[in-house]
Amino acid sequence: MRLAKIALCAAASAAVLGWGADNARAQGAWEGFYGGLHGGYAWSDLRTKDVDGFVAGAPAGTVTKQGLDGAVLGAQLGYNWQRGAFVFGAEVDLGWMGQGGDRLLTGTVANTRAGLDSGMYGDITGRLGFTTGPTLFYVKGGWAFYDGSSRFSSTVPIVTATQGGTLRGYTLGAGIEQKLSYNTSLKLEYQRFEFGTSEFSINGFRFRQDLDTDVVKIGLNFRLGEERPPAYVPMK
């Protein structure tokens, strides 16, 4: 709710920054390169599967579920094309998810814990939107990754262990972006990440992890390399 209130306040402030009939060209101008920063919060579901039955007394394939959450900080870079009221383009996000954590594996009698560290995330997406002048509504989707290492510990002596690799999957999302001036805009965005699966092992016993994450974030974008066009002055 707090994020939504911030976005609504920004949208209201834009309305009093001089957007009028004489600024029609500026209102409709979304085409070009842009970059910016974003911040928000992530809620994740992590599932750790004991593939080979490392935990004594628990059948092979036992799954331990846990929730992770934390702050999100990052940057974005993209390009828009505009055809009338339709805006489409490509965007790259790169940032940090601070959502590390672990928990006892289901059925453990040896205090075996497993989880995931905080780490870098990123995505490459396509965007498709509809603009009503200074406001852009859009959807996005594409490839995504999460580079947090697997976390584990046990009272069982660990002879050999391997870390899980980078999780790779996809993301879908939607958002609203509001111009604050010709070259700056504020966005409120939701993304769903299906980060896929990675595998690690303890003493040769395999564990498989998969991660799903929901993110709500606010971002500030700046148009790059273009100045505001001169205001229209009617001929006398």
Side-chain angles (χ1 to χ4, degrees), residues 113-150:
R113 305 182 67 90
L116 202 62
D117 285 333
S118 300
M120 300 292 295
Y121 88 97
D123 60 60
I124 302 173
T125 58
R127 292 206 316 171
L128 176 62
F130 181 84
T131 179
T132 59
T135 305
L136 174 66
F137 303 89
Y138 64 89
V139 294
K140 63 187 294 187
W143 177 83
F145 77 89
Y146 182 74
D147 198 27
S149 299
S150 300

Side-chain angles (χ1 to χ4, degrees), residues 125-222:
T125 58
R127 292 206 316 171
L128 176 62
F130 181 84
T131 179
T132 59
T135 305
L136 174 66
F137 303 89
Y138 64 89
V139 294
K140 63 187 294 187
W143 177 83
F145 77 89
Y146 182 74
D147 198 27
S149 299
S150 300
R151 180 188 297 185
F152 54 84
S153 63
S154 178
T155 56
V156 174
I158 298 176
V159 178
T160 60
T162 64
Q163 289 285 357
T166 300
L167 292 152
R168 297 179 179 88
Y170 67 91
T171 181
L172 297 172
I176 179 173
E177 190 166 349
Q178 176 70 45
K179 280 185 176 289
L180 304 180
S181 68
Y182 181 68
N183 283 326
T184 61
S185 57
L186 184 70
K187 70 174 182 178
L188 176 64
E189 184 175 278
Y190 163 78
Q191 278 185 270
R192 170 71 174 182
F193 292 91
E194 301 279 349
F195 280 119
T197 302
S198 70
E199 194 171 284
F200 68 93
S201 68
I202 302 176
N203 292 346
F205 290 85
R206 294 173 297 159
F207 291 83
R208 190 166 295 136
Q209 292 183 317
D210 62 90
L211 179 70
D212 301 330
T213 302
D214 296 288
V215 175
V216 175
K217 57 187 177 182
I218 290 178
L220 187 63
N221 280 328
F222 305 90

Side-chain angles (χ1 to χ4, degrees), residues 36-90:
L37 302 172
H38 63 261
Y41 211 77
W43 297 265
S44 296
D45 292 317
L46 176 66
R47 292 171 293 279
T48 302
K49 184 176 183 179
D50 184 354
V51 178
D52 299 316
F54 174 79
V55 176
T62 298
V63 175
T64 300
K65 299 179 181 179
Q66 68 183 106
L68 302 172
D69 62 276
V72 174
L73 295 172
Q76 65 271 358
L77 181 67
Y79 189 89
N80 287 325
W81 290 269
Q82 184 168 355
R83 297 296 181 268
F86 292 96
V87 177
F88 55 97

